[in-house]
């Protein structure tokens, strides 16, 4: 399966710019490119439909997974399994 970024328009979700590659697919995991500007955050949510994989390309994120805070830096990965709660913020 090939997914070309130019065919998937980004959308603004509360200040986050998200290009969701798997939104229209029936998959067991989620892949999206998310741009988190300084001082913006993703509100607390839970992964209802699939596992989510977060790979930090640059900068750092404060990531809360199941009520535990983690600082993620470039190259780090956070895997949110289906049914788990999460939130994240760019606190830089």
């Amino acid at each position: 399966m090939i997914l070309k970024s130019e065919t998937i328009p980004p959308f603004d979700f509360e200040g986050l710019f998200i290009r969701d590659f798997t939104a229209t697919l029936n998959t067991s995991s989620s892949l999206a490119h998310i741009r988190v500007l300084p001082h913006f955050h993703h509100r607390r949510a839970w992964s209802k439909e699939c596992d989510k994989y977060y790979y930090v390309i640059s900068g750092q994120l404060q990531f809360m997974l199941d009520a535990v805070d983690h600082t993620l830096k470039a190259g780090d990965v956070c895997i949110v399994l289906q049914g788990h709660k999460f939130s994240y913020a760019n606190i830089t």
Side-chain angles (χ1 to χ4, degrees):
M1 178 182 312
I2 304 296
L3 303 169
K4 300 252 184 184
S5 63
E6 64 268 11
T7 65
I8 302 165
F11 63 92
D12 183 340
F13 177 75
E14 300 176 0
L16 305 175
F17 298 96
I18 300 174
R19 188 181 309 262
D20 191 340
F21 289 87
T22 53
T24 61
L25 304 175
N26 184 17
T27 63
S28 61
S29 59
S30 171
L31 177 67
H33 178 248
I34 305 170
R35 185 170 167 219
V36 185
L37 296 174
H39 308 292
F40 281 86
H41 70 280
H42 186 288
R43 60 181 143 94
R44 189 137 170 90
W46 60 288
S47 183
K48 302 185 262 192
E49 300 172 3
C50 62
D51 298 337
K52 297 180 183 296
Y53 297 80
Y54 292 89
Y55 175 80
V56 179
I57 294 172
S58 65
Q60 70 180 40
L61 284 178
Q62 193 66 31
F63 209 103
M64 181 177 280
L65 179 60
D66 294 328
V68 177
D69 274 325
H70 304 273
T71 300
L72 302 180
K73 298 178 182 175
D76 292 342
V77 174
C78 180
I79 300 170
V80 180
L81 298 177
Q82 183 178 357
H84 289 257
K85 294 184 179 181
F86 68 97
S87 66
Y88 53 84
N90 180 348
I91 59 173
T92 60

